[in-house]
Amino acid sequence: MERFYKRKEPQFLEKNDDASKQKDKSGSKRDDDCGKKQKNDDVGTMRENDVEVNLLNLPMDPGLRHPISYYNVNIQDQVRRQYLQNGPCQPKTHNFPLRHFGKQSRRFNSSWFDKYGNWLEYSIAKDAAFCLCCYLFKPEIGEQAGGESFTKHGFTNWKKPKRLRVHVGCSNSVHNDAWRSCQDLMKQEQHIQTMYSRHSNQTRSEYRARLQASIDCVRFLLRQGLAFRGHDESEESSNRGNFLELLKFLADHNEDIKAVTLENAPSFFKVTCPDTQKDIVSACAIETTNAIIREMGDAFFSILVDESRDVSIKEQMAIVLRYVNISGQVVERFIGIEQVGSTTAQSLKEAIDRIFSRHGLSMSRVRGQGYDGASNMQGEFNGLKTIILRENECAYYIHCFAHQLQLALIVVAKNHIQIESFFAIIANVVNVVGASSKRCDALREKHAEEVVKALNLRDLSSGQGLNQETTLKRCGDIRWGSHYNTLLSIINMFSAVISVLEMIIDDGPKSGQRGEAKNLLELMLSFNFVFCLHLMRNILGATDELSQALQRKDQDIVNAMNLVRLCKLQLQTMRQSGWNSLIDEVTFFCAKHDIDMPNMDDMFVDRGRSRRKAQEITNLHRYRVELYYAVLDMQLQELNSRFNETNTELLLCLACLSPNDLFSAFNKQKLLRLAQLYPNEFSTIDIMALEIQLDTYILDMRTSGEFSELKDIGDLAKRMVETKRHNVYPLVYLLITLALTLPVATASVERAFSAMNILKNQLRNRMGEQWMNDSLVVYIEKDLFNNIDNEVVMQRYQCMKIRKGQL
């Protein structure tokens, strides 16, 4: 599969694998336990002459690289070796721009990569060609060494491709001298360090066993999100940290491991020092990321981006990729987190470019963007979505559906005076009842008594996982579904909350809390509170199902639009015929808790207002018209306003792909229009072919029993792959994958930030950026990491040590 930066081994590195194997056979001199401890926490980071270099984050684009002379002479070979391991920068899938040469226009030809694949590179930033070998080893003596066209400025004369062959020159040319220098650098048997690394077979076997044991310990700690280091790691310490303690536990239960690890290992060869731990974690993260890139292949993808502060008050930006794999399944994968100095759109774009460059991704392959509603993200003039759209017009922006839904709920909670007052009471109840551990214990005890009583009366059913100990949940404007969960906990623990408030009134301190508890008790035992409680429970319950569905990783945009439509329909049905059922619920609840029910035909008395100025209305008008209808109308209006994407041309066309009801939404003209919205994928000829292909496709789908029960386009894509129809209808399948690629919600990014708070907590608030990124990648994508063999991690680790010159 072709990627943006194809990290292949060039031909002049063909002997590198053999050299590595010879290296393993001859043993290794020593690892980083020799006492040379790096001061920087980041893996592969060195500080030479006040120039900090992270070997894992070297710029891949040749137009953005520093000259080799920029680096300290002591680390130049390590930088060269890193670039040679990565291979030439060859974005074969990039959309190369045209250059004008008089009346003619020419562009870079990707077939040149096949002809000069060992050294030819292309810079997207400069739209120019470069030579990797000459960049690494060409002497800086100006025109005497052939000029700087392929090293500094870049070659751009596309109408004269023969210059590429001229650049290679004869056998004694500068280019071929540089090529031979690259070959010599990668032949580890020629290094002086290798001359001192001849050990016996027993030594190599023991080293391998130690490394295997360390990798096993790292695997366990990464999967569980646990810390590695201990406060005191000396041999006399009773707790040397999770890594060393786990290794000791492993050694105590395996005599073969015990014989070669810890105190039985050479002091310079233990494979346990902090730098070794970080190198192993980095190797795990690299292999996990490579597995993601391989899984994605050359598929189009969308980006989900958000930023958040970590425990060290550093602004972090997380990126998740959404794509369709070869099985037709929608996948969302976390690829990294990047610290940003500011949250401006330009800063975020630069951070995205750095991550793309690091992992060999191309902005030209992006077909969707998913963010929240912040102005720096969705600004029409200078927002992140606009900056990316200027670079790639097919990277369509979708505002996170789950975020829009939460905003719609918050508007109702804040704009309707009665509902705003109701949620203020809820917040005060949670604060007062949960103000101390004594009150929380009393709340749990009272609730447990109520549960036992209900079980004895058979009002509750018993079973595994039912009737668990719980407490009041606090709602927040930015926590999806939190308002609904808070109301459920209030209803479930209503009697216990009342009992705790009565306890505070009787036994509380004389500091004003008794008066506050008395006011809250009176409000909670009112019909108005109970009515609002059940009204909002029903409304938020209808939207909570939508919120949970939108947060699924494999949710597609077409099904999401359908779910929004169903949610609106449910609320509309509730408005038309839900009044009687709501009153029945409220009446039953009031009778259960001895709350007075007003007569609906009596005149309504508004507490806190003068009766002379109050409008004379009945209780029925008050609760049915001014509360029930008004709140539902406001909620429906807000949903219609927030989810305006359902009226855009793109999403209206996407809806025609739905297989529901035997493809009843199929519309040939709209699907052809959808193809026109992706001009880079569908040429004029392709659209003509698609028009004919759609006729055969819809006839096949409607007459085939294999596709008759499908409900969404995600199932359609998987079924087409299973039945090989994606090869029969490639253009239609491309439309389906483009639709599935569009993001729905940024839930995966929010989960990444939750994981970040687990890994980088108050006790680990000094984690380095690279260390945190590597740990997060493995922790979040542990399903991929579990399939990576230890042998692969060991090979990556050895390559990293070679690049550092430590093997």
Side-chain angles (χ1 to χ4, degrees), residues 302 322 367-368 396 557 650 654 678 738-744:
S302 294
R322 177 186 174 96
R367 290 298 176 267
Y396 294 106
I557 194 75
L650 174 65
L654 289 172
Y678 292 94
L738 289 172
L740 290 173
T741 300
L742 287 175
V744 176

Side-chain angles (χ1 to χ4, degrees), residues 195-214:
M195 300 302 295
Y196 298 97
S197 61
R198 309 299 181 182
H199 295 288
S200 65
N201 292 333
Q202 181 181 356
T203 302
R204 293 198 301 272
S205 177
E206 292 176 354
Y207 170 75
R208 184 180 180 85
R210 281 191 292 272
L211 182 57
Q212 184 89 14
S214 295

Side-chain angles (χ1 to χ4, degrees), residues 43-57:
V43 176
T45 304
M46 302 182 181
R47 187 182 295 273
E48 296 287 348
N49 294 344
D50 297 327
V51 177
E52 187 175 308
V53 180
N54 191 326
L55 296 179
L56 299 179
N57 292 331

Side-chain angles (χ1 to χ4, degrees), residues 1 3 287 289-298 788 792:
M1 297 295 181
R3 297 299 319 140
E287 290 303 326
T289 304
N290 289 343
I292 294 174
I293 300 302
R294 287 193 300 269
E295 181 186 48
M296 184 167 61
D298 59 351
I788 298 175
V792 177

Side-chain angles (χ1 to χ4, degrees), residues 303-311 313-321 333-359 361 363 369-372 374 376-377 383-385 387-388 746 748-754 756-757 760 769-770 772-774 776-777 780:
I303 57 173
L304 307 175
V305 180
D306 202 358
E307 76 276 351
S308 178
R309 287 185 179 180
D310 60 20
V311 69
I313 321 297
K314 295 180 180 179
E315 201 70 34
Q316 305 286 353
M317 184 196 73
I319 293 187
V320 171
L321 302 183
R333 296 291 188 188
F334 172 79
I335 63 164
I337 194 165
E338 185 87 3
Q339 182 184 354
V340 291
S342 66
T343 57
T344 62
Q346 190 60 44
S347 296
L348 296 179
K349 177 59 169 60
E350 292 173 357
I352 292 174
D353 288 339
R354 288 196 297 270
I355 293 180
F356 272 36
S357 176
R358 187 182 312 151
H359 298 298
L361 302 173
M363 190 63 68
Q369 312 173 58
Y371 317 122
D372 59 17
N376 63 333
M377 295 289 193
L384 178 60
K385 74 159 188 179
I387 295 176
I388 293 180
T746 58
S748 295
V749 186
E750 300 298 337
R751 295 186 187 102
F753 288 134
S754 298
M756 178 185 71
N757 293 330
K760 188 174 183 179
E769 300 304 321
Q770 189 67 43
M772 181 177 70
N773 177 79
D774 294 341
L776 269 177
V777 168
I780 295 173

Side-chain angles (χ1 to χ4, degrees), residues 630-674:
V631 172
L632 281 170
D633 288 342
M634 183 179 293
Q635 187 70 83
L636 284 168
Q637 180 181 0
E638 193 62 29
L639 286 174
N640 289 327
S641 175
R642 291 285 178 184
F643 290 95
N644 53 7
E645 284 91 344
T646 56
N647 299 321
T648 62
E649 183 181 24
L650 174 65
L651 299 189
L652 288 175
C653 293
L654 289 172
C656 300
L657 291 169
S658 175
N660 198 20
D661 295 331
L662 288 177
F663 298 82
S664 59
F666 179 83
N667 186 306
K668 179 179 177 180
Q669 297 304 319
K670 288 186 177 180
L671 291 179
L672 291 175
R673 176 55 186 158
L674 176 62

